[in-house]
């Protein structure tokens, strides 16, 4: 509910602060006193367009602030500021918000209804929401929407898979082409380097064998070989007492060292001989190695890698890519199966919603007609048309309110057949029914009783009073029958200061309220009869 409204420096208003209560509050005032200015200021809190023309004192900013009590009992402070330079800022509990965020919040807190502005009741979503509330479809809709979101996710995922498959078609062919080539080559880790080594040895076998044989001969020749020379040196040193000239320990002596070298050189000579014997000249084998090596070179170049081991890695990677592409079928089948199951479930749920909506639409039409006809709509015919369409997040139904205000008239969409006064009385009745079934925000009725009087005005006032037992209602009216129904009464008036004419608002006392309603009955001159009638109206509520 709206607890407090503060307006500063807006149009004819210098500064006003109004405390509201729950129930039905009445706002009256002469034409041009400033009631529409208040609504304009409230429109800023609803995210309306900010116009610097509304700033009366161009040296200061305009401020509109409201304190609401939300349904959970928490206070919410909403403020809109407009600077003379055109900059507009919005705040919720002193935290800056965007205009869109402001609109989304205040939509749940405040609803301003006038003869010519109530688009939500004429929209498919608004009318569908009313019927769903009447049918108590809340839990069914929550379950349906949960399934529908999953269904949309699956459809989106399948679409992406299909698109990816189209992209993968050419990609798969290329991957398979590369993989076929690598499978034909069948690279093995380390093979490329080994083939290069063997090829180098085999292509120079004669020269390598000759050099190894020469090394063996130099080391082991009986006459002038290295081993023969070392043996001679050992014998020469053993021919005298080496200790006399070299006191080194025996195991570190020259003789010991030479013997160690002799053993090592002998082993080297043997190894060179063995290697020479292992080297063979085999033109056929050399040709096979050359062919295999060049196959590696060609694959490395074609695949854009550095070496043969990279070909092994690439082959494994291509196999994984191909598996991933071909494996999409399993994921697709699972998603398609889940999607079919959800589609059947959604259709069943949508049928249940349709049936409940039709039943609720008939009940709503009946109750609405009974309640609205006494408001000067004796020929009213009203129906809720529920037609099936595509599955959406709300089900499969298109809901439209159709009516006629003329005897035997054809039924047409509500907004296209109603005059301003008729539409106001009809929507008032709709909102009175909504208040019984929905969590409604604070409603401000802006002179929706224009064009009626007498008994009809009294009934409209009683309808607003009944609505105010469950939600806060603020009504701007020119009718005394409506004004008398409120719990609190505020008057908007103009007065002159030394500088200009300004608008102000104040709550009326009981005595002032009697006088205000009497003036609404009789005009400027208060008569005893008007005062008596005003008191009677106030008692009659």
């Amino acid at each position: 509910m709206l607890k407090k409204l503060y307006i500063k420096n807006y149009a004819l208003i210098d500064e006003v602060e109004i405390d509201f209560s729950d129930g039905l509050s009445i706002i009256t005032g002469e034409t041009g006193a400033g009631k529409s200015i208040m609504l304009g200021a409230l429109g800023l809190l609803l995210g309306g367009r900010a116009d610097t023309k509304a700033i009366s004192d161009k040296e200061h900013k305009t401020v509109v602030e409201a304190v609401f009590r939300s349904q959970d009992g928490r206070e919410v402070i909403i403020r809109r500021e407009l600077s003379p330079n055109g900059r507009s800022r919005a705040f919720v509990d002193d935290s800056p918000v965007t205009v869109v965020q402001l609109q989304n919040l205040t939509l749940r807190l405040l609803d301003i209804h006038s003869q010519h502005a109530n688009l939500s009741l004429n929209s498919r979503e608004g009318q569908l929401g009313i019927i769903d509330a009447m049918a108590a479809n809340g839990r069914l809709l929550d379950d349906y929407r949960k399934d529908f979101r999953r269904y949309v996710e699956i459809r989106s995922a399948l679409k992406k898979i299909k698109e990816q498959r189209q992209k993968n078609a050419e990609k798969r062919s290329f991957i398979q082409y590369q993989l076929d080539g690598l499978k034909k080559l069948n690279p093995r880790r380390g093979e490329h380097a080994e083939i290069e080594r063997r090829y180098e040895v085999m292509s120079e076998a004669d020269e390598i064998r000759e050099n190894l044989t020469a090394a063996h001969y130099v080391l082991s020749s009986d006459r002038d070989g290295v081993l023969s020379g070392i043996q001679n040196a050992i014998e020469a040193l053993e021919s005298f007492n080496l200790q006399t000239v070299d006191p080194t320990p025996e195991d570190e002596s020259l003789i010991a060292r030479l013997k160690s070298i002799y053993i090592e050189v002998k082993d080297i000579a043997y190894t060179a001989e063995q290697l020479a014997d292992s080297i063979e000249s085999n033109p056929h084998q050399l040709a096979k190695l050359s062919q295999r090596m060049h196959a590696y070179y060609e694959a490395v170049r074609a695949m854009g890698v550095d070496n043969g081991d990279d070909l092994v890695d690439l082959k494994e990677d291509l196999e994984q890519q191909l598996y991933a592409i071909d494996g999409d079928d399993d994921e697709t089948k699972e998603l398609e199966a889940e999607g079919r199951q959800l589609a059947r479930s959604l259709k069943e749920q949508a049928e249940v919603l349709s049936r409940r909506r039709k039943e609720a639409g008939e009940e709503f039409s009946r109750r609405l007609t009974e309640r609205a006809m006494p408001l000067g709509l004796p020929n009213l015919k009203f129906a809720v048309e529920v037609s099936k369409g595509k599955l959406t997040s709300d089900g499969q139904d298109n809901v439209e309110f159709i009516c006629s205000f003329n005897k035997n008239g054809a039924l047409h969409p509500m907004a296209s057949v109603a005059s301003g006064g008729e539409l106001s009385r009809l929507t008032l009745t709709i909102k009175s029914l909504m208040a019984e079934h929905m969590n409604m925000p604070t409603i401000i009725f802006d002179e929706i009783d224009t064009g009626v009087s007498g008994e009809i005005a009294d009934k409209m006032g009683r309808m607003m009073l009944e609505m105010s037992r469950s939600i806060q209602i603020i009504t701007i009216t020119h009718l005394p029958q409506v004004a008398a129904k409120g719990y609190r009464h505020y008057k908007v008036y103009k007065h002159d200061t030394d500088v200009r004419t300004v608008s102000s608002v104040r709550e009326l006392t009981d005595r002032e309220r009697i006088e205000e309603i009497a003036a609404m009955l009789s005009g400027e001159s208060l008569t005893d009869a008007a005062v008596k009638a005003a008191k009677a109206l106030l008692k009659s509520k």
Side-chain angles (χ1 to χ4, degrees):
M1 67 168 271
L2 176 62
K3 293 183 63 179
K4 182 178 293 186
L5 176 63
Y6 174 78
I7 305 172
K8 181 177 181 180
N9 195 30
Y10 183 79
L12 294 179
I13 296 176
D14 275 349
E15 185 173 22
V16 298
E17 182 173 318
I18 314 169
D19 291 318
F20 290 100
S21 66
D22 53 6
L24 176 61
S25 296
I26 300 296
I27 298 177
T28 59
E30 296 179 0
T31 300
K35 299 184 296 298
S36 61
I37 295 174
M38 287 179 58
L39 292 179
L42 279 168
L44 290 176
L45 296 181
L46 293 174
R49 180 176 174 272
D51 190 347
T52 55
K53 293 179 181 179
I55 303 176
S56 54
D57 184 351
K58 302 300 182 183
E59 299 297 319
H60 299 88
K61 64 185 177 183
T62 289
V63 178
V64 181
E65 182 176 280
V67 179
F68 290 91
R69 187 178 70 229
S70 62
Q71 291 179 355
D72 60 5
R74 185 175 62 90
E75 279 197 355
V76 181
I77 302 175
I78 298 174
R79 186 171 74 256
R80 187 89 182 268
E81 297 179 355
L82 177 60
S83 300
N85 61 10
R87 183 184 180 191
S88 171
R89 297 195 301 169
F91 301 87
V92 175
D93 292 334
D94 288 326
S95 296
V97 296
T98 65
V99 172
V100 173
Q101 290 172 322
L102 183 71
Q103 290 171 339
N104 291 335
L105 174 62
T106 53
L107 187 66
R108 301 192 299 269
L109 297 173
L110 187 64
D111 175 19
I112 298 178
H113 172 72
S114 64
Q115 273 198 19
H116 309 290
N118 200 30
L119 299 179
S120 63
L121 286 184
N122 294 326
S123 68
R124 171 192 177 275
E125 293 78 12
Q127 294 178 355
L128 182 61
I130 293 170
I131 298 304
D132 278 331
M134 293 289 297
N137 283 340
R139 181 172 295 180
L140 287 174
L141 268 174
D142 287 343
D143 293 340
Y144 173 88
R145 285 168 178 160
K146 181 181 178 181
D147 287 347
F148 187 80
R149 284 193 297 270
R150 177 56 185 162
Y151 180 71
V152 170
E153 289 174 0
I154 290 173
R155 292 285 298 272
S156 177
L158 288 172
K159 182 180 178 182
K160 288 180 180 178
I161 290 174
K162 183 178 179 181
E163 292 172 349
Q164 190 62 45
R165 276 182 172 176
Q166 293 175 347
K167 293 178 182 178
N168 286 344
E170 294 183 4
K171 183 180 178 182
R172 190 192 188 287
S173 298
F174 182 63
I175 290 174
Q176 188 66 63
Y177 170 77
Q178 288 183 306
L179 191 57
D180 289 344
L182 288 173
K183 284 181 176 180
K184 184 177 180 181
L185 177 65
N186 191 25
R188 297 186 296 277
R189 201 172 299 281
E191 182 190 22
H192 188 196
E194 177 62 16
I195 288 174
E196 287 181 323
R197 185 193 68 76
R198 291 178 61 196
Y199 179 84
E200 183 179 356
V201 170
M202 191 169 286
S203 62
E204 300 176 2
D206 293 339
E207 183 179 351
I208 293 173
R209 186 169 53 250
E210 183 179 336
N211 287 328
L212 285 170
T213 301
H216 174 262
Y217 178 80
V218 168
L219 294 174
S220 60
S221 173
D222 291 340
R223 288 188 176 183
D224 53 359
V226 173
L227 288 174
S228 178
I230 295 174
Q231 185 62 42
N232 291 336
I234 292 172
E235 291 174 356
L237 292 174
E238 286 179 337
S239 66
F240 68 97
N241 185 4
L242 187 59
Q243 286 287 325
T244 60
V245 293
D246 182 12
T248 305
E250 186 175 345
D251 58 349
E252 295 180 8
S253 67
L254 293 176
I255 294 172
R257 291 162 66 187
L258 280 171
K259 287 181 178 180
S260 177
I261 292 172
Y262 181 87
I263 294 170
E264 180 67 18
V265 171
K266 186 177 181 179
D267 183 68
I268 292 172
Y270 175 78
T271 302
E273 182 182 29
Q274 292 294 107
L275 289 173
D277 291 342
S278 70
I279 302 298
E280 61 176 340
S281 295
N282 188 335
H284 178 69
Q285 183 66 23
L286 182 63
K288 289 180 65 176
L289 287 174
S290 176
Q291 184 180 8
R292 182 69 173 167
M293 184 173 65
H294 282 87
Y296 263 106
Y297 287 155
E298 180 62 25
V300 165
R301 182 193 64 78
M303 301 297 178
V305 296
D306 295 330
N307 53 57
D309 285 354
D310 288 347
L311 291 175
V312 178
D313 295 336
L314 178 60
K315 179 173 175 288
E316 294 174 352
D317 182 57
L318 291 174
E319 288 174 337
Q320 290 177 357
Q321 289 187 47
L322 201 60
Y323 177 79
I325 291 174
D326 294 340
D328 284 347
D329 287 339
D330 295 335
E331 181 185 3
T332 301
K333 290 176 182 177
E334 292 178 2
L335 287 174
E336 287 176 341
E338 185 181 357
R340 287 192 295 270
Q341 182 179 352
L342 277 173
R344 288 192 296 269
S345 175
L346 286 170
K347 190 67 177 175
E348 292 171 0
Q349 293 177 73
E351 289 293 341
V352 173
L353 286 169
S354 294
R355 185 174 67 253
R356 293 171 65 94
R357 284 165 175 166
K358 287 179 180 178
E359 293 171 356
E362 292 173 1
E363 175 66 13
F364 181 75
S365 300
R366 183 187 64 77
R367 293 180 61 189
L368 178 69
T369 304
E370 290 177 354
R371 193 172 294 190
M373 288 179 69
L375 300 183
L377 303 173
N379 297 316
L380 173 66
K381 292 181 181 178
F382 185 93
V384 178
E385 192 173 69
V386 181
S387 59
K388 292 184 180 180
K390 294 181 179 180
L391 286 177
T392 69
S393 60
D394 294 321
Q396 62 183 350
D397 302 313
N398 295 310
V399 170
E400 188 167 42
F401 292 174
I402 55 176
C403 63
S404 171
F405 294 90
N406 301 316
K407 189 174 182 179
N408 298 323
L411 276 66
H412 295 286
M414 186 174 72
S416 66
V417 298
S419 67
E422 290 171 332
L423 182 60
S424 293
R425 280 171 275 168
L426 183 61
T427 53
L428 171 62
T429 310
I430 291 174
K431 290 198 173 184
S432 73
L433 288 172
M434 290 168 62
E436 297 175 5
H437 297 274
M438 301 174 68
N439 291 323
M440 297 282 288
T442 292
I443 299 178
I444 298 179
F445 289 113
D446 179 21
E447 299 184 357
I448 66 163
D449 49 18
T450 299
V452 299
S453 59
E455 184 182 357
I456 294 176
D458 184 73
K459 290 179 179 179
M460 291 180 71
R462 291 188 181 281
M463 188 174 289
M464 295 180 207
L465 179 61
E466 185 61 30
M467 290 173 65
S468 73
R469 302 190 194 285
S470 56
I471 60 174
Q472 183 187 35
I473 303 293
I474 300 173
T475 297
I476 298 173
T477 182
H478 285 293
L479 298 180
Q481 295 92 337
V482 174
K485 300 296 186 293
Y487 295 109
R488 301 177 77 169
H489 192 147
Y490 304 87
K491 182 174 182 178
V492 181
Y493 61 97
K494 289 196 297 188
H495 60 96
D496 295 332
T497 66
D498 294 338
V499 180
R500 65 189 186 101
T501 299
V502 298
S503 290
S504 295
V505 183
R506 63 185 176 86
E507 184 178 358
L508 299 180
T509 64
D510 291 343
R511 180 177 180 81
E512 289 172 332
R513 190 175 183 190
I514 293 171
E515 293 174 353
E516 176 70 9
I517 293 174
M520 296 170 72
L521 287 166
S522 64
E524 292 184 1
S525 58
L526 291 181
T527 64
D528 292 339
V531 171
K532 185 177 180 180
K535 290 179 179 179
L537 283 174
L538 287 167
K539 288 181 180 180
S540 68
K541 71 175 181 181

